[in-house]
């Protein structure tokens, strides 16, 4: 198992704006934004102590879902590689890559290259996927996507390990005596965090993941699922603890002066930090934060306020 977060304190990261424009969470200004805004946000994350920036994946959105999901979904490897060149410290997370859509050797080549280009800052977040038409278009069995993901994770971990020539034999994938270089910078390999909150995803994270990325569970449900994950991990004989994440409520540091929504946690830094510390108390290692904002400048201002005023209070 591979750990990357500092122990003993609550880390924080964020899903990047612009790169995923679902109507469920995207702010209105993102539709007119592009690479410049992405770079500005990534640089702000680098400057203000964010553990990672994240990019999600969808290959193609069917017309029936386009109204809710939109069709703007940047490719995570290409996007994170671009941002690797304009940042120095912040880690680069695929949250999540639907790795079952492609052969694990192809994914391993992309991920190893990204880890090399970024100086060892990659975190591989993986998920099963949920859009049936994507799988059908690419010739992948949607009904068996969970089993495919399990084997793909195993194959990826083998292919990204310390050996240049690796062997793997599974039900769907088998390879040996095939060398891949460049190798990842991180040893023994880049970490793999498993996304999702279904029973299958929690089991997968417990048995195969270096970390877990829940999908928006409210606090009571999250506490319960963390207990389940730890029990499953112990039963599987995995000694090392998983790095557990959570998606926090939307945030606004200070008095917003505009309608930020009923669920948004806003106000003084002390109030926000006190609420977020509850995540640490239930066993969470990192929170993914999202800020309500009306434009990219307000977003980077919020990130600065969080990093300088709220983050120092998270360890109290």
């Amino acid at each position: 198992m591979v750990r990357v977060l500092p122990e003993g304190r609550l880390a924080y990261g964020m899903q990047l704006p612009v790169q995923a424009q679902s109507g469920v969470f995207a702010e209105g200004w993102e539709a007119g934004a592009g690479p410049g805004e992405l770079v500005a946000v990534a640089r702000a994350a680098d400057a203000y102590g964010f553990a990672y920036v994240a990019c999600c994946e969808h290959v193609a959105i069917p017309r029936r879902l386009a109204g809710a999901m939109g069709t703007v979904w940047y490719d995570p490897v290409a996007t994170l590689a671009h941002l690797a060149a304009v940042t120095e410290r912040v880690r680069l997370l695929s949250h999540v890559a639907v790795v079952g859509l492609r052969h694990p050797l192809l994914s391993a080549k992309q991920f190893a290259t990204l880890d090399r280009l970024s100086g060892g800052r990659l975190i591989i977040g993986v998920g099963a996927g949920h859009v049936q038409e994507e799988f059908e278009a690419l010739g992948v069995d949607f009904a068996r996507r969970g089993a495919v993901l399990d084997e793909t994770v195993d194959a990826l971990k083998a292919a990204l390990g310390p050996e240049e020539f690796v062997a793997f034999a599974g039900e769907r994938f088998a390879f040996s005596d095939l060398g891949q270089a460049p190798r990842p910078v991180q040893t023994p390999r880049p970490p793999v965090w498993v996304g999702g909150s279904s029973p299958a995803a929690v089991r997968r994270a417990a048995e195969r993941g270096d970390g877990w990325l829940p999908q928006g569970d409210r606090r009571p449900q999250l506490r319960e699922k963390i207990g389940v994950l730890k029990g499953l991990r112990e039963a599987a004989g995995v000694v090392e603890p998983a790095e557990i994440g959570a998606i926090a409520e939307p945030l606004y540091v200070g008095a917003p002066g505009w309608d930020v929504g009923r669920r948004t946690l806003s106000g003084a830094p002390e109030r926000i930090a006190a609420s977020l510390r509850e995540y640490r108390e239930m066993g969470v290692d990192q929170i993914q934060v999202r800020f309500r904002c009306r434009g990219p400048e307000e977003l980077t201002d919020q990130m600065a306020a969080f990093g300088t005023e709220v983050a120092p209070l998270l360890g109290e």
Side-chain angles (χ1 to χ4, degrees), residues 22 56-71 73 96-101 127-146:
S22 167
C56 196
E57 177 174 46
H58 279 289
V59 173
I61 306 301
R63 193 178 298 274
R64 70 179 178 89
L65 296 175
M69 293 181 63
T71 58
W73 295 85
V96 290
V98 188
V99 293
L101 292 175
H130 66 92
V131 178
Q132 184 169 349
E133 289 90 337
E134 286 183 308
F135 285 77
E136 292 173 348
L138 296 171
V140 181
D141 187 350
F142 179 76
R144 296 283 295 163
R145 66 193 185 280

Side-chain angles (χ1 to χ4, degrees), residues 54-245:
C55 184
C56 196
E57 177 174 46
H58 279 289
V59 173
I61 306 301
R63 193 178 298 274
R64 70 179 178 89
L65 296 175
M69 293 181 63
T71 58
V72 177
W73 295 85
Y74 285 38
D75 178 79
V77 173
T79 303
L80 296 174
H82 178 69
L83 298 177
V86 298
T87 56
E88 296 179 355
R89 181 203 56 80
V90 69
R91 285 186 172 267
L92 308 162
L93 168 66
S94 60
H95 186 182
V96 290
V98 188
V99 293
L101 292 175
R102 57 186 67 84
H103 194 284
L105 280 180
L106 177 59
S107 293
K109 169 62 73 175
Q110 294 175 314
F111 286 136
T113 302
L114 176 52
D115 197 61
R116 175 64 57 176
L117 290 172
S118 67
R121 291 189 278 145
L122 172 66
I123 303 172
I124 304 169
V126 302
H130 66 92
V131 178
Q132 184 169 349
E133 289 90 337
E134 286 183 308
F135 285 77
E136 292 173 348
L138 296 171
V140 181
D141 187 350
F142 179 76
R144 296 283 295 163
R145 66 193 185 280
V148 170
L149 177 56
D150 284 347
E151 187 171 320
T152 300
V153 169
D154 293 343
L156 269 177
K157 289 162 76 171
L160 291 168
E163 300 298 326
E164 181 179 354
F165 292 86
V166 298
F168 179 82
E171 181 181 337
R172 297 162 188 83
F173 308 113
F175 46 86
S176 62
D177 296 323
L178 293 173
Q180 284 191 327
R183 304 304 302 156
V185 172
Q186 297 181 81
T187 56
R189 56 173 173 77
V192 176
W193 291 359
V194 174
S197 290
S198 69
V202 174
R203 173 200 53 77
R204 186 174 298 115
E207 295 176 356
R208 288 177 162 83
D210 302 302
W212 178 42
L213 296 163
Q215 195 59 40
D217 295 284
R218 299 289 182 92
R219 297 190 191 199
Q221 291 75 31
L222 181 63
R223 185 185 297 273
E224 179 181 344
K225 288 182 181 179
I226 289 172
V228 171
L229 181 141
K230 289 181 176 179
L232 289 170
R233 201 167 177 86
E234 182 179 358
V238 183
V239 176
E240 298 85 354
E243 297 193 290
I244 295 172

